Amino acid sequence: MLSVIDIRDGNWIEFVKQSPGATLFHHPSWSICLSQTYGYRPFVVVMKDSDGQILAGLPVMEINSWLTGNRWVSLPFSDHCSPLFNNENDLELFCHELVHKNMEFNSPGIEIRQKLPPLDGIVRKNSYFIHYLKLDEKQEELFKKFRKKGVQYCIKKAAKSDIDITQSTELESLMTFYNLHLMTRKKHGVPIQPKKYFVKLWEHIINQGMGFVMLAHHKDKTIAGGVFLHYNKDMIYKYGAADPAYMNLYGTYALLWEAIQWGCNNNYEIMDWGKTEKNNQGLRNFKLGWGTEEKELIYSYIGTAPKEYSTGWKQKVVEKVIKKSPVSVGRILGEIFYKHVG
């Protein structure tokens, strides 16, 4: 039987801790961060045995939007989030029950950001690639896997540019990154996440020992930054930003190499570089240059059709407006529209 429990339920927290496949996105703190930022209702759909023990479960958030529709998502602003389960039989039964109970739960449709078993009632779609870097090798061997001209050269060049890398869990450092993020998003014509989100990210994730900020400095100027999250054996390269005026110093390459070494030294097994749209060849090439493994990222849908948020000419107009406007425009648009996308 399936049931809905609170995201803070102690049994769910313990199940996450004991699940080898759990990532930060399964941790209740991540759902709480999103809920307090965007107002989504968080909960967990679980399958229990006769003794009340959880056999499988999935964190979910309810999005109610006049712009993009009402739906359940596992999880918003998360590149992937699979059900956690004890064995393959439990997974298949859980998915079967999820399809069967979709109407009973009065769900407006469920989007699950992972590939589910091929069952009737489940529609699967691949729109992205995801890239992983295995960290279980010696650092010098990892370095050899980096593309010589595109990555090794840039790391060596940065080492000669008097760049200093700092690592921090302080809110002040995250706000320094946020200012860089504003510039980067303006350059690409993309709205930025609400500032409140970064405060909540610090409060519930970074300040709880599940993430950090790395900043690259040149003399008295911060020229690049990255936000890294970690849980279990996985690191996530969640956000990166750089000052366009200092791209020739390769600060991003220096801090990414520093983060990779940190992951190796702290016994993490995987560095997750996030999803990439299939048509974004430039970003794919950048990630592949670091020796990452590329996999198709397939999302699953129950009781709803796959969502398409690309709006063609409208999107291009927004990009041009943000690029030609003060950074405050991208910030305001993000405050208004991010909660509708999820």
Side-chain angles (χ1 to χ4, degrees), residues 61-263:
M61 308 203 81
E62 183 177 54
I63 300 177
N64 295 313
S65 168
W66 56 265
L67 184 62
T68 58
N70 302 334
R71 60 204 183 278
W72 289 5
V73 181
S74 180
L75 278 171
F77 303 110
S78 312
D79 293 336
H80 51 82
C81 189
S82 65
L84 297 180
F85 52 92
N86 287 330
N87 56 61
E88 293 294 333
N89 289 335
D90 287 340
L91 171 63
E92 186 161 337
L93 181 58
F94 175 78
C95 293
H96 177 80
E97 287 293 307
L98 201 56
V99 172
H100 182 68
K101 295 291 186 179
N102 180 50
M103 293 299 296
E104 184 176 320
F105 281 160
N106 197 29
S107 163
I110 310 173
E111 176 184 333
I112 301 166
R113 296 184 173 173
Q114 192 57 268
K115 181 181 179 180
L116 297 184
L119 302 175
D120 289 342
I122 297 177
V123 176
R124 302 189 298 188
K125 183 179 180 182
N126 169 232
S127 299
Y128 307 99
F129 290 110
I130 190 161
H131 296 82
Y132 296 103
L133 179 65
K134 294 182 179 179
L135 303 178
D136 56 354
E137 297 185 58
K138 292 181 179 180
Q139 294 173 25
E140 55 267 27
E141 295 303 316
L142 273 176
F143 188 86
K144 291 178 182 178
K145 290 186 175 181
F146 301 162
R147 190 174 293 146
K148 288 186 177 181
K149 186 175 181 181
V151 177
Q152 290 186 20
Y153 169 82
C154 296
I155 293 172
K156 292 175 181 177
K157 189 76 173 178
K160 299 177 181 178
S161 300
D162 193 27
I163 290 177
D164 179 45
I165 305 296
T166 59
Q167 181 176 337
S168 172
T169 58
E170 299 298 322
L171 179 58
E172 181 181 2
S173 296
L174 187 58
M175 290 300 98
T176 299
F177 170 83
Y178 174 79
N179 290 330
L180 285 171
H181 201 37
L182 279 170
M183 288 190 286
T184 300
R185 290 284 172 133
K186 173 179 166 59
K187 176 184 175 183
H188 294 291
V190 180
I192 190 173
Q193 298 90 342
K195 190 173 184 179
K196 180 181 180 180
Y197 162 72
F198 288 96
V199 174
K200 293 300 179 181
L201 183 69
W202 176 81
E203 179 182 344
H204 294 290
I205 304 297
I206 295 175
N207 197 41
Q208 303 304 317
M210 293 181 286
F212 58 85
V213 181
M214 272 193 174
L215 299 172
H217 312 273
H218 179 66
K219 298 180 180 179
D220 60 347
K221 183 76 173 178
T222 303
I223 64 171
V227 176
F228 300 86
L229 312 179
H230 52 83
Y231 182 75
N232 211 346
K233 293 295 183 181
D234 294 350
M235 289 180 65
I236 301 171
Y237 176 32
K238 188 61 175 165
Y239 304 110
D243 188 329
Y246 293 88
M247 298 297 285
N248 63 318
L249 297 180
Y250 305 110
T252 295
Y253 290 84
L255 73 84
L256 278 172
W257 176 226
E258 188 76 17
I260 290 168
Q261 293 177 89
W262 180 91

